[in-house]
């Protein structure tokens, strides 16, 4: 026993429609996302603003359920590589005792799947698990506020290239 009292945290369910062509995989929801029960709920996370910029809509202003419906209608799915873990705070570097999600089920969940995009470095550590799916695997710069080394414009360009390649934007 380590003496730590942090409980095992449970992640969010997949937001993946059967028509998803691209699934973005984060590592594990931060504290704000877990508290809200929503992917990328931290107000400084750039995920929703990036997608809004790619699609020309203000996704961040929409209710969460409408955002998820829009993603699904455009062929995008969301999930995380970890189903559960122990962590104090929200940093990926604090993740301990991580339990992986069933990433092998992605092909069954999304028969039209063309690609997986790992949102950040911790997620990308699971690329060996997604590579066996037989789809393209991309590593995207993290949308987390902790990734201050990349400007919004630089992140947007990287995300635009992957979304264009898989037909999620023209």
């Amino acid at each position: 026993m380590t003496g730590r009292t942090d409980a095992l945290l449970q992640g969010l369910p997949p937001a993946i429609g059967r028509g998803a062509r691209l699934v973005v995989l984060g590592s594990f929801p931060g504290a704000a996302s877990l508290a809200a029960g929503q992917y990328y709920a931290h107000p400084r996370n750039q995920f929703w603003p990036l997608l809004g910029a790619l699609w020309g809509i203000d996704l961040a202003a929409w209710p969460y359920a409408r955002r998820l419906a829009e993603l699904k209608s455009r062929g995008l799915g969301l999930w995380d590589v970890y189903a559960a873990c122990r962590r104090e705070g929200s940093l990926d570097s604090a993740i301990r005792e991580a339990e992986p999600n069933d990433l092998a089920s992605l092909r069954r969940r999304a028969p039209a799947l063309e690609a997986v995009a790992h949102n950040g470095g911790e997620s990308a550590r699971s690329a060996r698990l997604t590579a066996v799916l037989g789809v393209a695997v991309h590593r995207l710069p993290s949308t987390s506020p902790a990734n201050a080394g990349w400007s919004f414009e630089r992140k947007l360009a990287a995300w635009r290239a992957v979304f264009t390649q898989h037909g999620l934007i023209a």
Side-chain angles (χ1 to χ4, degrees):
M1 177 127 179
T2 64
R4 290 186 179 256
T5 59
D6 50 328
L8 185 67
L9 303 172
Q10 297 296 321
L12 300 173
I16 302 171
R18 293 197 49 81
R21 296 186 310 280
L22 174 67
V23 172
V24 171
L25 293 173
S27 55
F28 190 79
S33 294
L34 289 175
Q38 300 179 3
Y39 283 99
Y40 304 105
H42 191 287
R44 289 195 346 250
N45 192 294
Q46 295 179 322
F47 180 81
W48 297 111
L50 275 171
L51 291 190
L54 290 173
W55 293 333
I57 51 180
D58 189 6
L59 277 176
W62 291 9
Y64 183 69
R66 184 174 174 205
R67 282 184 250 162
L68 290 185
E70 184 70 20
L71 268 58
K72 289 178 182 178
S73 76
R74 291 177 180 261
L76 181 64
L78 295 179
W79 206 13
D80 287 309
V81 297
Y82 302 133
C85 71
R86 296 186 193 281
R87 182 188 62 208
E88 292 182 36
S90 293
L91 294 177
D92 283 350
S93 59
I95 291 174
R96 299 181 297 108
E97 300 174 38
E99 299 174 9
N101 269 315
D102 180 11
L103 299 179
S105 73
L106 281 172
R107 295 293 295 213
R108 187 179 71 253
R109 292 174 186 277
L113 188 67
E114 296 176 9
V116 169
H118 290 278
N119 184 357
E122 182 63 29
S123 173
R125 292 187 217 291
S126 296
R128 62 179 162 45
L129 300 175
T130 54
V132 301
L133 296 171
V135 299
V137 177
H138 304 278
R139 178 179 175 171
L140 290 171
S142 174
T143 59
S144 166
N147 184 17
W150 283 61
S151 68
F152 182 85
E153 293 73 23
R154 190 172 169 209
K155 290 176 190 179
L156 182 62
W159 282 67
R160 182 183 311 281
V162 170
F163 276 51
T164 301
Q165 182 178 343
H166 297 287
L168 276 73
I169 54 176

